[in-house]
Amino acid sequence: MGKVTGFLEIDRREQKYQPASDRIRHFREFTLPLPDAEVENQASRCMDCGIPFCHGPTGCPVHNQIPDWNDLVYRNEWEEAARNLHSTNNFPEFTGRICPAPCEEACTLNLEDVPVTIKTVEQAIADKAWKKGWIKPEPAEVKTGKKVAIIGSGPAGLAAAQQLARAGHDVHVYEREPKAGGLLRYGIPDFKMEKHHIDRRVKQMEGEGVTFHYNENIGVVRPLQELLDGHDAVLLAGGSEAPRDPQLPGQEMEGVHYAMPYLVQSNRRESDEPVNEIPILAAGKHVVVVGGGDTASDCVGTAFRQGALSVTQLDIRAVPPMKEDKLAVWPFWPTKFRTSSSQAEGAEREFACATLGIEGRNGRVTGVKCARVDAKRQPIPGTEFVLRADLVFLAIGFAHPLFSGLIEQSGAALDKRGNVKADEEAYLTSVPKLYAAGDMRRGQSLVVWAIREGRQAAHAIDKDLMGATTLPR
């Protein structure tokens, strides 16, 4: 696999970014791809480990055969590498851009802090496959006569739709928004992934026989029962959208928003879609973002691009260690100090910081009241302070799917967290021929986990409809 001595001879090299002063002036992607020869060098560093944790459950949820396509890239067999990559991942250009790369944390070379640049190689393979025209519709040769409805066109719904269509089923995707993609399109900013990547996948899938129905808010404009009556199987893949409510005093004030409406508005503007709500804009404002995760980071980067005067991010967690104890946590995802590209654009970060409430004047936010916390994340008396704020975003995650409409109509059993209850084998809910996958089933998670869930749900549905299946899990 790769060059036998590659990891000894070649240093790890990652993609570089445009300077922050340049990239905050636009919403386009700002990574600078490596030349093919350098990608091949990086792939050659894969060291043929005895037990490659990178594509096991700790490293890659979709079980990408990472050593195999690294070897193929090293040998300049890019087209075969693309075929191998697509055998486990329907949308590697998505994950190559926005996955946090647990595979690299699980890489054996990460024991020395120099893992193979797996994410960079994955993106390079996918981008070359599109550029060379290797990615084309793969319609089924034989149709089954079975009809499947998928509610939601995020990564789980798209992955399931593509797999089921290739198995020969008549697949119909029902999407609430005017375009496909779910939070891939409306939640993730263009500077992390431009939306033409989604558009060309939709076109490919339409060539495979998938029918997309837009502006279809199932459970609101059309009853779920109509889909159950008209299809042999229905898959719920609507995501986890109900935000966690911090119940802060004063959060009802003007200028305080949950993160997702802000990000959705911004994405609509960049796609020239109408924004029918009161505009939420950061230009000329002091912005405070409550939360330490990816959504919070996306708010930070978006605010800078809109011309915020300052952006401060609050995280209740203590400052994590700069470096993890490898022998204690490897190959699992470690807790350590990380700086996202958005945070590196100039954000102030406050750790061990509790948000106590929102202060304001005449119903308008003017500040965020905070305090330092102890090891149990309890506020320490006497450490209170107020941060100036004209705009506050609450980005502390998502609790469960929206209950009104679809979930209420389904009558499906929920788990203790409020997600639709279904196991990882059958993906079947408590309602006959109604399945669930993605964040709606497992809760808020990564895009790569949603792709895995969609693929596995497609396997289960095909097996139930046909008695057997050749789709991979």
Side-chain angles (χ1 to χ4, degrees), residues 165-410:
R166 289 176 176 179
H169 303 303
D170 181 14
V171 179
H172 293 257
V173 178
Y174 293 84
E175 169 55 48
R176 180 187 61 196
E177 301 294 337
K179 296 179 181 179
L183 291 188
L184 280 171
R185 181 181 296 276
Y186 293 103
I188 294 172
D190 277 23
F191 57 79
K192 289 176 70 174
M193 190 182 79
E194 295 175 12
K195 303 311 180 283
H196 65 85
H197 299 295
I198 303 170
D199 295 336
R200 61 190 182 187
R201 280 296 181 185
V202 169
K203 186 175 180 180
Q204 179 199 24
M205 292 170 66
E206 288 174 337
E208 295 169 344
V210 177
T211 303
F212 288 86
H213 305 266
Y214 299 115
N215 300 303
E216 287 273 6
N217 192 353
I218 305 302
V220 177
V221 300
R222 185 193 299 266
L224 173 62
Q225 192 61 47
E226 183 177 321
L227 268 61
L228 288 167
D229 292 341
H231 297 79
D232 297 289
V234 176
L235 174 64
L236 302 177
S240 179
E241 294 186 271
R244 289 196 178 96
D245 184 358
Q247 298 183 332
L248 298 173
Q251 74 178 51
E252 75 285 348
M253 288 189 189
E254 183 182 351
V256 181
H257 306 273
Y258 284 112
M260 203 47 64
Y262 174 57
L263 296 175
V264 170
Q265 272 198 21
S266 177
N267 277 303
R268 289 196 197 281
R269 287 191 198 94
E270 291 305 307
S271 297
D272 295 321
E273 290 186 36
V275 176
N276 299 319
E277 302 86 17
I278 297 174
I280 308 171
L281 295 167
K285 296 178 181 177
H286 296 280
V287 178
V288 173
V289 182
V290 181
D294 290 338
T295 301
S297 183
D298 291 344
C299 289
V300 169
T302 300
F304 278 130
R305 283 159 180 76
Q306 291 181 347
L309 294 178
S310 69
V311 181
T312 305
Q313 186 176 357
L314 309 182
D315 195 330
I316 199 169
R317 298 170 297 183
V319 180
M322 295 302 295
K323 183 178 178 180
E324 73 273 27
D325 181 349
K326 302 288 187 183
L327 296 182
V329 299
W330 182 87
F332 297 96
W333 182 262
T335 298
K336 64 180 178 181
F337 191 86
R338 303 173 191 271
T339 301
S340 72
S341 59
S342 292
Q343 292 163 341
E345 290 163 359
E348 295 292 330
R349 302 170 70 182
E350 295 282 353
F351 288 95
C353 179
T355 306
L356 302 181
I358 308 297
E359 297 189 348
R361 188 180 303 114
N362 299 323
R364 173 81 199 180
V365 60
T366 59
V368 178
K369 186 177 181 181
C370 309
R372 299 299 172 193
V373 298
D374 58 23
K376 295 182 178 180
R377 298 185 179 178
Q378 297 301 308
I380 301 172
T383 64
E384 296 85 2
F385 61 98
V386 176
L387 288 171
R388 178 180 177 182
D390 308 305
L391 194 58
V392 178
F393 296 120
L394 307 176
I396 57 173
F398 302 89
H400 48 68
L402 297 176
F403 292 146
S404 62
L406 179 61
I407 301 300
E408 290 178 349
Q409 284 187 19
S410 74

Side-chain angles (χ1 to χ4, degrees), residues 150-172:
I150 296 174
I151 301 172
S153 66
L158 290 176
Q162 185 164 65
Q163 294 294 94
L164 288 166
R166 289 176 176 179
H169 303 303
D170 181 14
V171 179
H172 293 257

Side-chain angles (χ1 to χ4, degrees), residues 402-452:
L402 297 176
F403 292 146
S404 62
L406 179 61
I407 301 300
E408 290 178 349
Q409 284 187 19
S410 74
L414 305 178
D415 65 19
K416 61 183 179 181
R417 295 185 299 160
N419 300 313
V420 179
K421 190 173 183 179
D423 64 44
E424 285 185 278
E425 289 293 328
Y427 286 86
L428 185 63
T429 71
S430 59
V431 179
K433 68 178 190 177
L434 183 65
Y435 300 77
D439 288 5
M440 187 169 270
R441 189 202 72 84
R442 69 177 287 113
Q444 175 190 348
S445 191
L446 302 175
V447 167
V448 68
W449 273 104
I451 294 173
R452 168 195 167 114

